[in-house]
Structure formats: C-alpha cells, structure tokens
Amino acid sequence: MRTNGTGTQGSVDRRGLLKLVGGSTAALGLTAAGCGGGSGSDGGTVTIRYAWWGSDDRAKRINQTIELFEKKHPKIKVKTDFQPYLDFWKKFNTQASGGNPPDVFQNAVGFLRKYDAKNVLLDLGGQVEAGNLRMDGFRAGLDTFGEVDGRLLGVPVGSNSMALVIDEKVFGKAGITPRPGWTWEEFHAALAKIRDTQGRAGDSGMYGVMYLYDLHLRQHGKAFFTPKGLGFTEADLTDWWTKALQGVRAGTYSDPKKVSQVKPKAALSAGLSACEFTWDNFTIRYTSEGKSEYGLAPVPTTDGKRTGQYLGSLMLSASKRTKHPEEVARFIDFMVHDPEVATIMGYDRGVPATTAQYEAFKPTDPVNKKIAAYEQQLVDSGVLEQITPHPAGADIAEAAFLRIAEEMALGKSSVAEAVRQFFSESKTALGS
C-alpha cells in the first residue's frame, strides 16, 4: 500500500459548514442500540454499530442504504447512531475514551491522526489483503486519501474540492466571467467592479476560511499544516488577516456584523455578497436558501497556473476494538462500491469516490451537474495535488481559526491579538 498524506473535509463552511467536507449541523437523533466495543452475534448473525453525522435527509438516505446492505448480506445487521456534527464528535470522543467506539463510523481527515494516536482506528490494510475490502476503482487518487504512514485508516465515500460559488446574475450584470488561471489581482478587481456597479460586496469575507487559506499558502510553497504542526508563520497570517480587514473597510468584502446577523443563512444566498469560497458540493445549499442562480468558478491563482487544490473527502473508518473486522470491511466495501448505493446517496457526501458509483449516478438537476462538471474540469486540467497531512489536534486548530477570525472581524480583537491567540491555542492543541 502506498504511503500518502491525508487531508479533509471538511469544516462546516465559513460560518460552521466548512468544519467538515459535505457535513451538516441539522439536529436529528437516531438513538443507537447495543453496546460494547463490537456487537455480539445471535444465531450466526453478526451485528455491527455504525455512527455518522449529517442532515436528516442524509439520515434517510443512509438508512435506505443500510436496508439494501442487510438485504444483500442477511447475516450482518447494522445498528445506527446519528447525531448533529458537534454532538457526534463529543459522543464519539467519550466512547473512544471509554473503549466503546462504534464498529464503523463516518470520519474526516482532521481526525485521522488524532484518533490514530489514541489507538482507536483499525488498519484496514489487512482486510484489503484478505479480499474483504477493495481499494481499486477509486477516482483521481482517492484510494490513498485515508492513509497515514502507509496504514489504511479511512476509505473515501465521496469527493469535493474548494471552489468559488458565485451569484451568476450579479457576475453577469457586472460583465465578469471568471476563467481558469485568473489571478488574485484579477479577482480583487472583479470584487471592486461588483461593488461599484451592483451595489453589494463582492465576497462575503475570506478571513475565516481555513481551507482557502491553505490553498493560498500552497500556491506559495507552504501549507496550513505539516505532519507535526503549522506550516506558516505569524507574519504570514498577519498579512492574510490584515488584507481581509482592508477588504471589509473598502466594501469589497461583506460587513461581518451583517454576515453574523443572517446566520445560519449564508451571506451569498442572503444577498450580502456576490460570491464566497466553500466546498463545491455545498452549492446546492445556496439554491435552496437564495433567490438567484448560483454557479462554480475557478479558485484564483498567484502565478496563473497553480491553484493548490486537492480532492477532499468524507470517509468510513473502523474501530480497532471491533470484534467483527471482516463484516465491517464488507460493509465499507459495499458502501463505496455498490452502484445502488450511489443512486440512493447522490452527491450528499460529495461526488462518489469510486468509478462504479460515479457512473451509476448521473445527476439530472442543474446544480449537481455543475458540481460534476467542476470536479471533472479539475481532473482534466491536471491542477489537483496531494493534500498535506493533518497532524493530531488539527480539528482543534481548525475550530480556533474559524472562531478567532470571526471575533477579529467583529472588532473584538486586533489582528495582532488574533494572530497571537491563534498561534498560542494551536501550539497547545498540536503539541508544538
């Protein structure tokens, strides 16, 4: 098995959605049944516990896939545990600390090394060798996305990438057509033109979008994370946040107070801006929230070529304490390869990770067609790179970045104070 750095999912966007690739914080609880590190068997039937987070629509879809799995694998029963995002990780951390994590669970890159260091995650490589889990047929190198130091700790279920979501009507009226390879200078000129001709901010504010800042750093030969800590300096972040506040004062970025007031609605769909950076598979959110037409535009570049982009993914991981590793592996294999699963899930967790599922689901609605076309363009253009490994504690650093950036934008701290606070909290979280 090849060694490769792993990367995310995800945060819950800039106001909560970027926290995690393809996630949602909608509240719903399907109470788990069963207990113990691995669930027992009865009359030759094995029961495994499966936990995940997401919207209630995701829950309905996943329950349909579980019914399908149990129909095709009558000797394996699946008990479910569904929570909103924050509640999921709070409960999971308690379960993991008590030696009672679910047998299989939804995971994201920011948590791989954290729970690997806590000896929670099962290396699925042995199940691949045993023929219970196939790691062939994955799109665009996603087969290595869940590897840490040569061990397979997660299997991707879908893919997404950072993108610029635009209000197509506003951009059209302003006479702006974003094209691959456009530069940051051209991007900021476009924001100013939108402000001057359309009477609204160009962008909703980039200061708290950790994964966008990661791309910007990668365009300059750095990255947000290294395998052991942060990959940038206080001077780097000072420059980024200073320019962000300058954009707010100039009116090219939305007023942070107004952005905060319209939550949970996004600033873009609320009409406060003409674009914002987020994961491509979140585009459907704007269509459901807003009254305009929304599309995907290329990420600006520093040199006209390198975007720093990569495919991120939600994934499925297994507990090292499971008593049923073979059944868990077969469950994961089914969820990432079975074509019928793709027709049920659609793009709920991103574009399907395997070719079989990608070909099984052909979106018919305009939004999902745009998502598929956007990712295909990224693959065809050759701009995709490998994600930088996230160290243990990356999830805490990511949450701190979002929170501190928002406090700074609202005037609760200066740039200098915010930078010091972020580095202080991150060094504690990352142990560096």
Side-chain angles (χ1 to χ4, degrees):
M1 190 159 52
R2 288 172 288 168
T3 301
N4 182 49
T6 60
T8 187
Q9 24 51 129
S11 68
V12 182
D13 86 9
R14 65 216 309 153
R15 281 157 305 280
L17 282 176
L18 277 178
K19 178 71 180 171
L20 227 267
V21 159
S24 168
T25 56
L28 177 69
L30 300 180
T31 304
C35 58
S39 300
S41 59
D42 182 16
T45 299
V46 167
T47 300
I48 60 175
R49 293 159 53 213
Y50 174 33
W52 75 91
W53 71 85
S55 66
D56 56 355
D57 180 64
R58 174 178 295 175
K60 293 175 183 178
R61 292 173 185 267
I62 287 181
N63 283 325
Q64 290 178 42
T65 67
I66 290 173
E67 290 176 6
L68 182 63
F69 174 79
E70 291 180 335
K71 181 179 180 180
K72 294 187 177 183
H73 297 79
K75 293 293 185 179
I76 307 176
K77 300 301 179 183
V78 183
K79 291 186 176 181
T80 63
D81 186 2
F82 173 73
Q83 303 285 336
Y85 176 78
L86 295 177
D87 292 338
F88 172 90
W89 285 112
K90 183 184 298 183
K91 181 173 183 178
F92 183 84
N93 190 55
T94 300
Q95 291 174 323
S97 299
N100 184 37
D103 297 279
V104 59
F105 54 95
Q106 187 170 285
N107 203 356
V109 67
F111 300 89
L112 279 182
R113 289 180 181 267
K114 174 177 182 175
Y115 286 106
D116 179 40
K118 293 185 177 183
N119 206 32
V120 173
L121 305 181
L122 176 68
D123 180 0
L124 290 162
Q127 294 301 317
V128 175
E129 294 174 2
N132 300 323
L133 174 60
R134 292 166 291 168
M135 291 304 295
D136 56 351
F138 281 79
R139 300 172 42 246
L142 284 170
D143 55 311
T144 61
F145 187 81
E147 288 186 19
V148 172
D149 301 331
R151 291 168 295 120
L152 183 62
L153 303 183
V155 179
V157 296
S159 68
N160 56 10
S161 187
M162 284 297 296
L164 179 66
V165 182
I166 66 172
D167 185 320
E168 293 181 328
K169 291 183 178 180
V170 175
F171 268 68
K173 290 178 181 179
I176 300 169
T177 304
R179 302 186 186 282
W182 69 329
T183 65
W184 286 104
E185 289 76 13
E186 291 171 323
F187 169 72
H188 287 111
L191 300 188
K193 187 175 182 181
I194 289 170
R195 176 200 60 196
D196 296 340
T197 64
Q198 305 304 308
R200 74 167 72 176
D203 185 85
S204 58
M206 305 187 297
Y207 28 80
V209 190
M210 190 202 86
Y211 289 98
L212 174 65
Y213 185 43
D214 183 38
L215 298 192
H216 189 268
L217 289 167
R218 289 162 67 91
Q219 290 179 16
H220 291 82
K222 299 184 178 183
F224 197 97
F225 291 118
T226 70
K228 295 183 179 180
L230 298 176
F232 59 98
T233 67
E234 292 189 21
D236 293 328
L237 183 56
T238 297
D239 180 66
W240 178 257
W241 276 347
T242 297
K243 290 179 178 177
L245 289 187
Q246 289 173 345
V248 171
R249 297 188 185 102
T252 52
Y253 294 166
S254 301
D255 181 341
K257 293 181 180 179
K258 293 182 179 179
V259 171
S260 180
Q261 289 170 354
V262 300
K263 289 180 181 179
K265 181 179 283 190
L268 173 59
S269 48
L272 297 179
S273 68
C275 66
E276 69 180 36
F277 292 92
T278 188
W279 297 105
D280 57 14
N281 63 314
F282 288 169
T283 308
I284 193 169
R285 172 192 184 190
Y286 304 98
T287 301
S288 63
E289 286 185 349
K291 298 180 180 179
S292 190
E293 296 178 5
Y294 306 94
L296 292 162
V299 171
T301 70
T302 299
D303 59 4
K305 298 178 181 179
R306 186 180 184 185
T307 66
Q309 286 172 278
Y310 44 79
L311 290 183
S313 179
L314 289 176
M315 63 188 81
L316 296 178
S317 292
S319 165
K320 184 175 286 189
R321 297 179 66 92
T322 182
K323 297 177 181 178
H324 308 293
E326 177 180 337
E327 289 78 9
V328 165
R330 293 189 182 281
F331 176 77
I332 294 175
D333 182 272
F334 179 84
M335 289 298 171
V336 299
H337 288 286
D338 190 277
E340 289 185 75
V341 170
T343 63
I344 294 171
M345 295 304 302
Y347 284 0
D348 177 83
R349 296 179 296 192
V351 178
T354 58
T355 301
Q357 291 194 344
Y358 179 78
E359 294 177 347
F361 177 74
K362 298 296 183 184
T364 56
D365 62 290
V367 176
N368 280 319
K369 282 184 176 181
K370 290 176 182 178
I371 295 171
Y374 179 78
E375 288 204 8
Q376 189 60 49
Q377 186 272 329
L378 293 179
V379 173
D380 293 342
S381 64
V383 300
L384 292 174
E385 305 174 5
Q386 292 184 344
I387 192 170
T388 307
H390 285 41
D395 58 316
I396 299 175
E398 179 183 342
F401 188 85
L402 180 67
R403 169 176 49 81
I404 294 170
E406 183 173 34
E407 291 173 352
M408 176 202 68
L410 292 172
K412 296 180 180 180
S413 66
S414 66
V415 170
E417 290 169 338
V419 170
R420 285 195 298 270
Q421 182 180 355
F422 172 73
F423 270 79
S424 176
E425 291 189 22
S426 295
K427 288 179 179 179
T428 300
L430 302 172
S432 59

